[in-house]
């Protein structure tokens, strides 16, 4: 029996997210375990207050409609657990891959073949994420390392899923200057990649000159600028993908579900809690509309 573990950062507590992820079709021969590694509780005053107005406003566009669906009701710990999630409350230190570090203090990652790390403000579009993740008929995008220009841009090609990847991210856009830098919002990591990390942990100590931001004991959201230093860790992991296996070896083993940043037919990545709250430019909106039209959502 092969095993997949899903680690969700418990912060925004989208009822839609926890429901849809728990209802994924499980591939034959696989087991999926779900963990919500929370940095505040869903019943916290700030958790409720930050999303309550979304439930009450009249949506003016399709982005706001998506947000209303994300936060249809204020989900509770009991409801999250009833959906099959294990709930863990940890210190609010750093986001993204830090939840793996916290989880792995109590659980052995080596028991799992694939680790999914995801934010809980993602809009899940499909119940076949895990099926397609392991299906050899699935098409994935691969970077061509010989096409590298500047530091972070590669041409990509669509190839069969040969199950030879170590890191699979949601979406990639060739024209973005920091194209290869992972967002860490909805990503999959093979056990073999974790084996290569120093101490089998993600390096979350870099601060990019902005200073480490620890928010222990704080439960209010502070927006983009308040935790801007946390973005540095995506760059740290990117550099590891360049250097961790020599000669861009982990670039060779990187894949994406789609050729549009933040968007695939499986997931729309939230931005600080909302689909409507994005700073991704006009192409993002157009790409999102196309994806939703293709899926029959709009």
């Amino acid at each position: 029996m092969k095993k997949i573990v899903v680690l969700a950062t418990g912060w925004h507590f989208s009822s839609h997210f926890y429901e849809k992820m728990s209802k994924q079709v499980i591939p034959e021969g696989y087991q999926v375990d779900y963990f919500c590694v929370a940095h505040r509780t869903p019943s916290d005053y700030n958790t409720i207050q930050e999303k309550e107005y979304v439930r009450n406003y009249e949506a003016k566009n399709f982005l706001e409609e998506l947000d209303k669906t994300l936060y249809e009701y204020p989900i509770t710990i009991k409801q999250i657990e009833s959906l099959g999630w294990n709930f863990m409350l940890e210190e609010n230190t750093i986001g993204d891959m830090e939840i793996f570090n916290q989880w792995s203090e109590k659980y052995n990652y080596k028991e799992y073949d694939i680790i999914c790390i995801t934010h809980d403000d993602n809009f899940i579009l499909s119940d076949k994420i895990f099926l397609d993740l392991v299906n050899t008929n699935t098409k994935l995008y691969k970077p061509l390392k010989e096409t590298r220009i500047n530091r972070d841009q590669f041409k990509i090609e669509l190839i069969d899923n040969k199950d030879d990847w170590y890191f699979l991210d949601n979406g990639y856009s060739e024209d973005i200057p920091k194209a290869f830098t992972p967002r860490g919002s909805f990503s999959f990591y093979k056990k073999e990649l974790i084996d290569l990390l120093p101490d089998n942990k993600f390096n979350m100590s870099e601060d990019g000159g902005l200073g480490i931001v620890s928010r222990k004991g704080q439960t209010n959201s502070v927006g983009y600028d308040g935790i801007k230093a946390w973005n540095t860790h995506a760059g740290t992991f990117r550099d590891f993908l360049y250097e961790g296996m020599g000669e861009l070896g982990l670039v060779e083993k990187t894949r994406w579900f789609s050729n549009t940043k933040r968007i695939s037919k499986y997931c729309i990545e939230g931005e600080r809690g909302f689909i409507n709250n994005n700073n991704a430019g006009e192409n993002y909106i157009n790409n999102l509309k196309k994806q939703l039209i293709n899926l029959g959502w709009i």
Side-chain angles (χ1 to χ4, degrees):
M1 178 73 69
K2 292 188 175 182
K3 297 176 70 175
I4 299 170
V5 63
V6 179
L7 307 178
T9 306
W11 185 260
H12 297 289
F13 296 107
S14 158
S15 54
H16 182 271
F17 168 82
Y18 287 100
E19 287 181 5
K20 294 302 182 182
M21 284 302 294
S22 69
K23 294 176 181 176
Q24 293 297 312
V25 180
I26 308 302
E28 185 177 352
Y30 278 81
Q31 173 183 323
V32 178
D33 294 336
Y34 293 91
F35 289 84
C36 171
V37 187
H39 289 163
R40 63 179 178 181
T41 65
S43 61
D44 184 90
Y45 170 80
N46 286 314
T47 307
I48 302 295
Q49 183 270 334
E50 289 169 8
K51 305 301 187 301
E52 190 63 24
Y53 79 96
V54 176
R55 287 183 275 270
N56 295 324
Y57 68 45
E58 183 176 342
K60 299 181 182 65
N61 53 54
F62 79 98
L63 296 174
E64 291 186 354
E65 288 175 0
L66 292 173
D67 284 338
K68 283 184 73 70
T69 301
L70 270 180
Y71 301 106
E72 182 178 1
Y73 64 91
I75 199 167
T76 65
I77 292 176
K78 184 177 180 180
Q79 288 169 320
I80 290 171
E81 291 179 333
S82 72
L83 290 168
W85 295 80
N86 299 280
F87 189 88
M88 302 168 54
L89 185 61
E90 301 293 333
E91 290 280 11
N92 185 17
T93 50
I94 302 169
D96 297 335
M97 291 90 75
E98 176 71 358
I99 65 167
F100 170 84
N101 295 345
Q102 293 175 323
W103 171 84
S104 66
E105 290 293 328
K106 300 175 181 177
Y107 296 90
N108 183 6
Y109 80 88
K110 291 181 179 293
E111 295 181 4
Y112 295 92
D113 299 274
I114 300 172
I115 297 98
C116 170
I117 303 177
T118 172
H119 292 178
D120 68 352
D121 60 347
N122 290 330
F123 197 104
I124 302 303
L125 297 167
S126 170
D127 65 355
K128 297 179 175 59
I129 295 171
F130 302 133
L131 277 181
D132 290 353
L133 182 71
V134 303
N135 192 331
T136 55
N137 291 324
T138 302
K139 300 291 186 180
L140 301 174
Y141 287 91
K142 176 185 178 179
L144 303 172
K145 69 177 186 179
E146 66 274 10
T147 68
R148 185 186 193 184
I149 59 171
N150 301 317
R151 182 188 63 183
D152 300 323
Q153 289 176 284
F154 299 82
K155 295 293 183 182
I156 55 176
E157 65 174 349
L158 194 60
I159 65 168
D160 290 331
N161 177 18
K162 299 177 182 178
D163 197 33
D164 58 349
W165 56 269
Y166 277 17
F167 174 62
L168 172 63
D169 215 353
N170 192 36
Y172 176 93
S173 295
E174 291 181 354
D175 57 339
I176 296 175
K178 293 184 179 181
F180 193 80
T181 303
R183 279 178 51 78
S185 299
F186 187 71
S187 307
F188 298 83
Y189 310 76
K190 287 282 187 67
K191 174 178 62 179
E192 290 84 354
L193 184 143
I194 306 297
D195 288 341
L196 294 172
L197 292 170
D199 300 321
N200 311 125
K201 305 276 189 182
F202 290 95
N203 179 0
M204 307 301 285
S205 65
E206 306 294 335
D207 63 15
L210 298 173
I212 294 293
V213 177
S214 175
R215 304 197 66 236
K216 289 184 179 181
Q218 300 180 51
T219 64
N220 62 308
S221 295
V222 292
Y224 179 83
D225 290 334
I227 51 174
K228 190 174 182 179
W230 290 7
N231 293 340
T232 302
H233 307 118
T236 302
F237 181 61
R238 173 204 63 217
D239 293 345
F240 169 76
L241 292 174
Y242 289 158
E243 303 161 5
M245 211 166 124
E247 296 294 325
L248 301 181
L250 288 174
V251 171
E252 283 277 342
K253 291 189 171 292
T254 297
R255 303 287 186 272
W256 295 275
F257 278 134
S258 85
N259 61 348
T260 51
K261 193 77 168 180
R262 305 188 188 190
I263 304 163
S264 71
K265 67 179 182 180
Y266 306 102
C267 171
I268 305 168
E269 299 172 33
E271 177 76 14
R272 299 297 193 262
F274 302 98
I275 306 300
N276 187 52
N277 180 28
N278 64 82
N279 297 290
E282 183 178 344
N283 285 342
Y284 169 78
I285 300 298
N286 291 337
N287 289 333
L288 179 51
K289 283 182 178 178
K290 289 177 184 177
Q291 187 63 259
L292 293 175
I293 290 170
N294 289 339
L295 293 171
W297 283 74
I298 59 174

